[in-house]
Amino acid sequence: MGVEPENTLRSFAHAERVGMDAIELDLHLSKDGALVVMHDTDVDRTTDGTGAIADRTLAELRELDAGQGERVPVFEEVLDAVGSPVQAEIKDVAAARALAEVMRRHELVERVEVSSFHDEAVAEIKSLVPGVRTVLIASRWGADVVDRATAVGAERLALNIRRLTLETVERARAEGLGIIGWVVNTADHLRLARAFELDAVTTDFPEIRHATRQSA
């Protein structure tokens, strides 16, 4: 989203073209049950429309400009447009069920990793899609975050890089959990991620990994 319209096919194609390892996207359900790719619960920030995604049909969402003439995509369009691995963030249990259906139909367990801030959504997708890899996301967390991740069967934690501590990293590793740092958009944050030896980071600016390689 730092260089192209957020959560659009144009953005995902750019990420793949410049060699990023995977694409992260966000999923909501439209009024008629389509898996819509957008971060917020409403369309106001990233399109020329207003109102909640859940109040619009897919056809109505298609009429919106998501930036530079891009249209709001659905999940399966992204899968067709790029070949990269995908991390799909789900916002609730209903989206988990819809995603599970798509994953089973297209046999996506190897390609798609599923993440969520919501423990119950992670647990739900885990129960519906055998073998799916999952990530529990947290921005602010308590001492129980590692226990929460293991309780719902997550393989990895995605944690706010600004609040990440060595203690949390060590506790997660002791339980066999991988760690993703987000959002890593500065050289300082990338240096921190490398110092912690994180498994991955997410970024809005693909070029950061090259621009800071010598100094980080």
Side-chain angles (χ1 to χ4, degrees):
M1 63 179 282
V3 292
E4 298 287 1
E6 178 182 334
N7 270 308
T8 62
L9 296 182
R10 179 186 178 108
S11 178
F12 302 140
H14 178 92
E16 184 170 72
R17 188 167 59 250
V18 299
M20 299 306 286
D21 300 305
I23 289 164
E24 191 271 349
L25 52 79
D26 307 278
L27 297 175
H28 290 273
L29 290 180
S30 66
K31 185 177 181 179
D32 49 351
L35 270 176
V36 176
V37 181
M38 190 176 293
H39 182 274
D40 301 351
T41 57
D42 58 57
V43 303
D44 300 51
R45 181 177 63 85
T46 56
T47 78
D48 59 349
T50 59
I53 295 171
D55 291 339
R56 289 175 178 258
T57 65
L58 179 58
E60 291 169 335
L61 291 167
R62 294 288 204 195
E63 297 175 356
L64 304 177
D65 186 337
Q68 299 184 41
E70 288 290 304
R71 297 300 158 188
V72 177
V74 294
F75 182 56
E76 289 172 273
E77 287 177 326
V78 178
L79 298 174
D80 291 338
V82 296
S84 299
V86 172
Q87 185 185 103
E89 181 184 335
I90 47 177
K91 305 298 184 178
D92 53 34
V93 170
R97 291 169 182 158
L99 177 58
E101 182 180 342
V102 173
M103 289 188 68
R104 290 193 301 263
R105 185 165 67 245
H106 295 285
E107 298 182 350
L108 296 172
V109 71
E110 294 299 323
R111 184 180 176 191
V112 176
E113 180 179 62
V114 183
S115 64
S116 184
F117 278 91
H118 305 290
D119 303 45
E120 62 274 17
V122 174
E124 183 74 3
I125 194 78
K126 201 77 176 178
S127 69
L128 294 172
V129 184
V132 67
R133 292 165 291 116
T134 55
V135 182
L136 181 65
I137 314 172
S139 180
R140 298 176 183 272
W141 58 86
D144 65 340
V145 69
V146 171
D147 294 335
R148 287 171 51 204
T150 57
V152 296
E155 283 77 23
R156 301 206 279 182
L157 276 166
L159 301 175
N160 186 338
I161 194 72
R162 292 175 176 83
R163 297 187 175 92
L164 192 56
T165 65
L166 182 58
E167 179 184 9
T168 301
V169 171
E170 289 178 339
R171 288 191 63 243
R173 290 228 174 88
E175 294 297 326
L177 295 172
I179 305 178
I180 302 167
W182 62 268
V183 173
V184 175
N185 284 342
T186 69
D188 285 344
H189 287 153
L190 185 56
R191 277 191 284 271
L192 181 60
R194 287 177 172 160
F196 281 148
E197 298 182 341
L198 301 186
D199 299 275
V201 301
T202 60
T203 183
D204 299 325
F205 299 97
E207 65 274 15
I208 193 173
R209 66 176 181 174
H210 302 299
T212 62
R213 187 169 297 282
Q214 297 303 315
S215 59

